[in-house]
């Protein structure tokens, strides 16, 4: 055999090795789900899972007594069943006996142990411990006491009936933690999480990359009996720029992207909210209702005397076209909020005839206000951040056609939150995203006991009739009867025009063509345990 022949054999062999290596890399890569979190994650401790980015991450690592499915129905998680007493104040949960914590040397020679009821007792006590200062302690405000009856039974007693309570328990705040790990890691448990979820913590280079690996002892199976999760790993990057995130997604370097941004929305979507021709055959897009109401809130105790007038507040509601606003400024993503404050996606959604676009009526209301008060140049000021400036400028242009001058005060999000809480804005741009899937979550913010700065009633709306209905509703167990009262309360708020609902948001998810099982739900919870990559 000549030198040339031997050389060719070596070259071909090397090429085959490289090819095999490339195939192996592709195979491994196909088992990793990759997404970017442009807003940085600061903790992996579920007691501090107060924002969506932290909820998404901790949802892969931890479990609670119950969980929500994509239709927002309560399903078993670590509890396989439960009973509720006739007075709806005692909940008794029966735990599965095969739930194991993630493997770690802290658990001794077996490297893990089963979850027992006292672990929930510990985790709930930690949640309400003032030294921990969890922002989620409010979840247990209706709870009088809780205890581990035995290793497999956990009992919770409420101070009074509270129908949405099971929904509250599905929140990541109520996850189960091992005392050994929290005691050992102390304050650094935030970066050394140990839970029971479908994935377990592997690596965190803060501001750069976060990696979870498959939990091989995870308890859930699919409908065919196959163990979950399907994937080997989850990799999260932290590119802060949404345009860069979009480019990474289009190049196939990440598998999933949520929501849209002004920097690329016109490139990605048509004006009616469909994928443009450039992308419709390359990526998948799904949308669904999101339990998020975007609105303008009116501070009823403001110094700006115009907002004390119901006529001006109603003119604000009638004076702009929400459908046109969604079409041209949101590329069709969202539903015009013409029905009430409770968003679409909840069974108690109020199908009332609310504030539609009636410019002539708005002009008449402003004219009537001028004649009554002698204030020839009425004006209002809207406080917002830069992200929503285009919406506020559109409303400004439309309302000035009615004879009402609108000023816009743009400020950083942190400043906006502060001045809103302290009642320093007559009108503010706000969002209300549901913490749990019950309309009580939207209605309690108008209860007079929740006036800011001590509560989330930033409008200082007050009504004795509303308060009485609210206090009655949260003690009614029958869902339909409770929903009737919810709709009545929603109508009272809208009749007062204390808020100007803009739109009910939508969950928008983009994924690569080889991704399946991602799902979509109205609380925009990211669940990766059912995801497959081809």
């Amino acid at each position: 055999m000549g030198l040339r022949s031997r050389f060719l054999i070596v070259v071909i062999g090397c090429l085959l090795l490289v090819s095999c290596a490339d195939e192996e890399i592709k195979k491994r890569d196909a088992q990793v789900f990759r997404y970017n979190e442009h807003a940085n994650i600061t903790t992996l401790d579920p007691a501090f899972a107060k924002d969506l980015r932290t909820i998404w991450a901790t949802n892969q690592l931890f479990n609670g007594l119950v969980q929500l499915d994509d239709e927002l129905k309560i399903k078993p998680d670590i509890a396989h069943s439960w009973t509720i007493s006739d007075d709806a104040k005692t909940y008794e949960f029966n735990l599965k006996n095969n739930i194991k914590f993630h493997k770690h040397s802290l658990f001794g020679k077996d490297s893990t142990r089963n979850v027992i009821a006292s672990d929930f007792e510990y985790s709930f006590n930690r949640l309400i411990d003032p030294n921990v200062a969890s922002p989620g302690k409010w979840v247990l405000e209706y709870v009088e006491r809780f205890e581990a009856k035995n290793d497999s039974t956990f009992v919770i007693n409420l101070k009074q009936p509270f129908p949405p309570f099971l929904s509250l328990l599905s929140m990541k705040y109520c996850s189960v933690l091992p005392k050994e790990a929290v005691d050992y890691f102390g304050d650094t448990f935030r970066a050394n999480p140990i839970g029971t979820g479908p994935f377990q913590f592997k690596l965190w280079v803060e501001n750069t990359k976060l990696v979870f690996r498959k939990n091989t002892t995870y308890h859930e199976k699919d409908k065919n009996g196959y163990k979950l999760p399907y994937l080997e790993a989850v990799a999260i990057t932290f590119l802060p720029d949404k345009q860069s995130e979009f480019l990474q997604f289009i190049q196939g370097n990440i598998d999933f992207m949520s929501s849209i941004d002004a920097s690329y929305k016109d490139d990605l979507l048509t004006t009616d909210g469909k994928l443009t021709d450039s992308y419709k055959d390359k990526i998948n897009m799904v949308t669904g209702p999101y339990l998020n109401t975007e609105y303008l809130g009116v501070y009823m105790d403001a110094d700006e005397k115009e907002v004390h007038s119901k006529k001006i507040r109603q003119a604000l509601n009638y004076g702009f076209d929400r459908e046109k606003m969604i079409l041209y400024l949101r590329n069709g993503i969202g539903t015009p909020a013409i029905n009430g404050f409770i968003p679409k996606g909840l069974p108690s959604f109020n199908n009332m005839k609310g504030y539609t676009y009636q410019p002539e009526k708005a002009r008449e209301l402003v004219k009537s206000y001028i004649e009554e008060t002698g204030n020839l140049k009425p004006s209002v000021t809207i406080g917002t951040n830069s992200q929503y400036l285009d919406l506020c400028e559109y409303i400004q242009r439309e309302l000035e056609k009615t004879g009402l001058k609108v000023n816009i005060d743009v400020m950083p999000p942190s400043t906006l939150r502060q001045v809103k809480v302290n009642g320093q804005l007559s009108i503010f741009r706000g969002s209300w995203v549901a913490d749990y899937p019950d309309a009580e979550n939207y209605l309690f913010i108008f209860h007079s006991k929740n006036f800011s700065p001590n509560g989330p009633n930033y409008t200082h709306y007050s009504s004795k009739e509303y308060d009485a209905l609210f206090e009655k509703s949260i003690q009614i167990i029958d869902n339909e009867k409770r929903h009737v009262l919810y709709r009545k309360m929603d109508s009272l708020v809208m009749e007062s025009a204390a808020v100007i609902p803009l739109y009910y948001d939508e969950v928008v998810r983009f994924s690569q063509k080889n991704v399946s099982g991602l799902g979509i739900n109205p609380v925009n919870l990211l669940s990766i345990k059912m995801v497959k990559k081809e």
Side-chain angles (χ1 to χ4, degrees):
M1 184 182 294
L3 184 61
R4 174 182 281 187
S5 300
R6 287 198 295 270
F7 176 74
L8 284 172
I9 289 171
V10 170
V11 169
I12 291 168
C14 290
L15 289 173
L16 286 171
L17 284 171
V18 170
S19 177
C20 290
D22 286 346
E23 286 302 313
E24 186 60 33
I25 289 169
K26 287 178 183 177
K27 189 175 179 181
R28 285 202 306 269
D29 188 55
Q31 294 304 308
V32 180
F33 184 79
R34 305 156 304 174
Y35 76 91
N36 183 68
E37 185 52 74
H38 69 277
N40 198 21
I41 293 173
T42 57
T43 181
L44 294 170
D45 183 340
F48 296 88
K50 67 177 182 176
D51 48 55
L52 198 60
R53 59 187 183 269
T54 311
I55 292 168
W56 278 11
T58 54
N59 191 48
Q60 318 316 320
L61 301 173
F62 296 93
N63 297 91
L65 291 163
V66 296
Q67 61 183 321
L68 294 174
D69 67 11
D70 277 352
E71 295 178 352
L72 303 186
K73 293 177 182 175
I74 299 292
K75 298 292 183 184
D77 199 354
I78 291 179
H80 65 74
S81 62
W82 53 88
T83 57
I84 305 173
S85 63
D86 291 340
D87 64 2
K89 290 167 63 176
T90 301
Y91 291 68
E92 188 168 294
F93 295 90
N94 306 302
L95 307 188
K96 297 172 184 174
N97 60 12
N98 64 334
I99 311 297
K100 297 183 182 299
F101 284 113
H102 296 152
K103 289 189 174 183
H104 197 281
S105 58
L106 280 171
F107 297 118
K109 62 185 179 73
D110 294 328
S111 298
T112 185
R113 68 168 176 83
N114 285 350
V115 173
I116 56 177
S118 59
D119 291 315
F120 277 100
E121 188 174 308
Y122 165 75
S123 300
F124 280 30
N125 274 317
R126 180 175 182 263
L127 189 63
I128 60 176
D129 183 346
N131 293 320
V132 174
S134 165
K137 65 180 181 180
W138 63 268
V139 170
L140 300 180
E141 70 173 315
Y142 285 97
V143 174
E144 186 171 53
R145 64 180 178 274
F146 47 81
E147 63 173 343
K149 189 174 179 180
N150 51 52
D151 282 355
S152 60
T153 310
F154 184 60
V155 181
I156 302 175
N157 295 105
L158 303 186
K159 300 170 188 173
Q160 65 178 64
F162 186 66
F165 185 62
L166 283 175
S167 294
L168 285 178
L169 291 180
S170 72
M171 297 178 68
K172 298 323 293 180
Y173 290 134
C174 299
S175 301
V176 68
L177 312 175
K179 184 177 186 298
E180 304 96 310
V182 179
D183 285 350
Y184 179 79
F185 288 111
D187 292 340
T188 64
F189 181 77
R190 60 172 282 280
N192 294 277
I194 296 175
T196 58
F199 296 91
Q200 61 190 64
F201 176 75
K202 178 67 176 177
L203 170 72
W204 188 9
V205 181
E206 295 198 38
N207 303 310
T208 304
K209 194 168 190 176
L210 177 59
V211 179
F212 304 147
R213 292 298 303 270
K214 179 178 186 172
N215 174 14
T216 56
T217 63
Y218 189 61
H219 66 282
E220 284 192 287
K221 296 179 180 179
D222 68 13
K223 61 183 179 181
N224 297 316
Y226 292 107
K227 289 186 68 174
L228 297 175
Y230 301 121
L231 297 169
E232 288 296 324
V234 177
I236 306 167
T237 52
F238 297 99
L239 293 170
D241 179 50
K242 297 207 79 173
Q243 178 70 21
S244 299
E245 176 184 270
F246 173 65
L247 292 173
Q248 287 294 303
F249 176 71
I250 294 306
Q251 291 167 11
N253 295 325
I254 57 177
D255 299 300
F256 159 75
M257 189 175 71
S258 179
S259 76
I260 56 171
D261 187 73
S263 64
Y264 57 77
K265 70 179 176 65
D266 293 327
D267 184 30
L268 189 58
L269 299 178
T270 61
T271 54
D272 60 350
K274 302 290 191 299
L275 285 171
T276 58
D277 289 342
S278 304
Y279 297 112
K280 65 182 180 182
D281 296 324
K282 297 178 182 177
I283 60 176
N284 292 323
M285 171 184 168
V286 291
T287 62
Y290 187 16
L291 299 187
N292 173 27
T293 299
E294 297 284 342
Y295 69 100
L296 299 179
V298 180
Y299 182 54
M300 306 292 269
D301 295 332
D303 293 335
E304 210 168 42
K305 58 185 179 297
E306 285 88 342
V307 300
H308 296 171
S309 168
K310 184 176 174 181
K311 289 182 178 179
I312 292 295
R313 299 196 304 268
Q314 287 181 326
L316 288 165
N317 267 291
Y318 284 122
F320 64 100
D321 189 337
R322 291 166 175 82
E323 292 189 8
K324 190 182 289 185
M325 180 181 73
I326 293 295
L327 186 63
Y328 294 113
L329 298 180
R330 294 271 306 164
N331 288 68
I333 300 299
T335 303
I338 58 173
N339 302 103
F341 193 73
I342 298 172
K344 281 193 169 184
L346 284 174
S348 50
F349 173 70
N350 195 346
N351 222 9
M352 65 179 277
K353 190 177 187 299
Y355 294 102
T356 54
Y357 180 47
Q358 299 184 49
E360 190 56 43
K361 190 166 188 173
R363 280 192 287 271
E364 289 172 5
L365 286 163
V366 173
K367 182 180 177 183
S368 177
Y369 168 81
I370 292 171
E371 290 172 351
E372 280 180 9
T373 63
N375 180 4
L376 301 179
K377 294 182 179 180
S379 67
V380 296
T381 302
I382 299 173
T384 185
N385 59 35
S386 58
Q387 185 179 353
Y388 293 88
L389 180 58
D390 57 344
L391 293 180
C392 292
E393 286 179 339
Y394 168 76
I395 293 167
Q396 177 188 47
R397 289 192 300 270
E398 293 296 294
L399 285 171
E400 289 191 342
K401 297 173 187 175
T402 70
L404 180 65
K405 180 175 173 56
V406 177
N407 305 302
I408 298 175
D409 189 358
V410 183
M411 58 193 78
S414 57
T415 305
L416 180 64
R417 281 193 296 272
Q418 185 179 353
V419 295
K420 177 177 71 175
V421 166
N422 293 326
Q424 294 170 284
L425 290 173
S426 57
I427 302 177
F428 56 88
R429 205 285 317 163
S431 305
W432 195 263
V433 182
D435 290 309
Y436 48 92
D438 189 280
E440 186 273 343
N441 198 203
Y442 287 87
L443 299 170
F444 89 105
I445 66 172
F446 297 107
H447 193 284
S448 60
K449 289 182 180 177
N450 290 323
F451 272 16
S452 60
N454 299 316
N457 187 347
Y458 307 120
T459 65
H460 280 207
Y461 168 81
S462 180
S463 160
K464 289 182 179 178
E465 182 184 4
Y466 184 96
D467 289 351
L469 287 170
F470 179 82
E471 286 154 18
K472 182 180 178 182
S473 72
I474 60 174
Q475 301 204 42
I476 294 175
I477 306 303
D478 185 284
N479 283 339
E480 283 306 313
K481 290 179 181 176
R482 192 168 77 257
H483 292 169
V484 169
L485 297 188
Y486 283 174
R487 294 184 190 104
K488 175 65 174 172
M489 284 183 276
D490 198 16
S491 297
L492 285 174
V493 172
M494 294 312 300
E495 196 275 333
S496 77
V499 289
I500 300 104
L502 303 178
Y503 60 90
Y504 313 118
D505 209 351
E506 284 186 331
V507 178
V508 186
R509 292 187 167 182
F510 304 96
S511 61
Q512 302 295 347
K513 285 288 186 182
N514 66 333
V515 172
S516 62
L518 192 56
I520 191 168
N521 54 78
V523 291
N524 200 14
L525 181 65
L526 180 63
S527 178
I528 304 174
K529 63 190 176 187
M530 298 289 291
V531 171
K532 291 180 179 177
K533 284 177 69 178
E534 302 299 331

